[in-house]
Amino acid sequence: MGGGFHVGFFYDPATEQRMLRSLKRNKNRKKTGPEQKFIRVSSQNVSIDLAFQHALKYFAAGQLLEAEDICRRIVHQDPANAKTYCLFGVIARQLGKEEQGLALIRKAIQADPAMAEAHYNLGIIFVMRGVIEEALSSFDQALALKPDYAEAYSNKLLASHYLTSLAPVEIYAQHRGFGERFEAPLKPLWQPHGNTRDLERKLKIGYLSPDF
C-alpha cells in the first residue's frame, strides 16, 4: 500500500486530437460569446484545455520543466484553473520546490474545494513533512469527496502507522475496511492457486516496495 502523488488527470491522445480538430473548425467561425483565451504551445496557439493536455503529456513523459512552463502560463491566463494548479503543485514538489508545491496545491483547493485529488496531494505533502494528523485529515477529505479513491485510502493506511496515538486495533480495523471496500468486490475474479498444500514445503517469499 501507499504511494506518491496522484494527479488524477491523464493525457489522452484521442482527446488532444479531438481538441485540435475543433480548434481548426473554429478558426474561421465568427466569434460569439466570451472571448476564448489561447496559449502558445509547440509553435501554435491552443486553447487552455488543449494546453493542459500538452502539460499532461510532458508530465507523463517526465519532461517536468516543459510541463511546469505550460502550467505557469495557464494559471497566468486563468487564475481559477484548479486542475492546473493541482498539476503545477505536483510538478513543483517533484522538482524539489516543496514550499511552492504546497502553496500551489492549496490554491487548487481554494479554486475548487471539491477536487479530491488536490486534497489527496496535500496529504502526500504533509506526510513528506511529517505532519501526520494533517495528512490523515486531507486523506479523509479526499475520501469524503470520492469514496472509491483507492490511492487516498491506501496512503491513509500507510500514514496511520506513523501516528503513535492510534492503537494497533484501530489500524487493523482500517485495513479491514480497505479490504471490504476495494478487495471484496474483486473476489470473484481471484484465480485459484495451483500450489501443493504440503505444510512442510519451503515457501518462496517476495517483497515489493517502492522504498527498497
Side-chain angles (χ1 to χ4, degrees), residues 31-170:
K31 293 182 179 179
T32 59
E35 183 178 355
Q36 188 174 9
K37 296 177 181 178
F38 291 91
I39 292 176
R40 192 78 173 172
V41 178
S42 300
S43 302
Q44 60 179 329
N45 291 325
V46 300
S47 67
I48 284 179
D49 286 340
L50 185 51
F52 183 71
Q53 282 292 314
H54 279 281
L56 286 174
K57 179 166 63 174
Y58 283 126
F59 175 73
Q63 297 175 261
L64 300 184
L65 294 177
E66 290 82 353
E68 180 188 42
D69 177 63
I70 295 175
C71 287
R72 182 182 295 108
R73 287 185 284 138
I74 290 176
V75 297
H76 178 74
Q77 289 269 24
D78 184 8
N81 196 308
K83 63 182 182 181
T84 300
Y85 275 123
C86 186
L87 176 60
F88 197 0
V90 169
I91 292 169
R93 185 60 185 81
Q94 291 189 351
L95 288 172
K97 305 173 185 178
E98 183 175 317
E99 292 300 328
Q100 182 186 13
L102 179 61
L104 289 165
I105 294 294
R106 282 178 164 155
K107 282 187 176 182
I109 294 173
Q110 183 179 7
D112 183 4
M115 180 181 288
E117 291 80 8
H119 291 282
Y120 167 81
N121 286 304
L122 182 62
I124 292 294
I125 292 177
F126 282 145
V127 169
M128 291 179 169
R129 294 166 73 101
V131 192
I132 304 304
E133 290 186 355
E134 285 84 346
L136 294 176
S137 177
S138 293
F139 293 143
D140 282 336
Q141 184 62 41
L143 286 165
L145 293 166
K146 189 177 177 181
D148 62 344
Y149 204 162
E151 290 86 356
Y153 205 134
S154 178
N155 279 278
K156 175 186 174 181
L157 293 180
L158 179 63
S160 296
H161 288 271
Y162 305 134
L163 196 64
T164 57
S165 61
L166 279 178
V169 66
E170 295 178 88

Side-chain angles (χ1 to χ4, degrees), residues 195-205:
N195 56 289
T196 176
R197 293 179 178 273
D198 181 3
L199 295 178
E200 300 301 321
R201 72 185 180 90
K202 292 183 178 180
L203 298 179
K204 293 182 179 179
I205 301 175

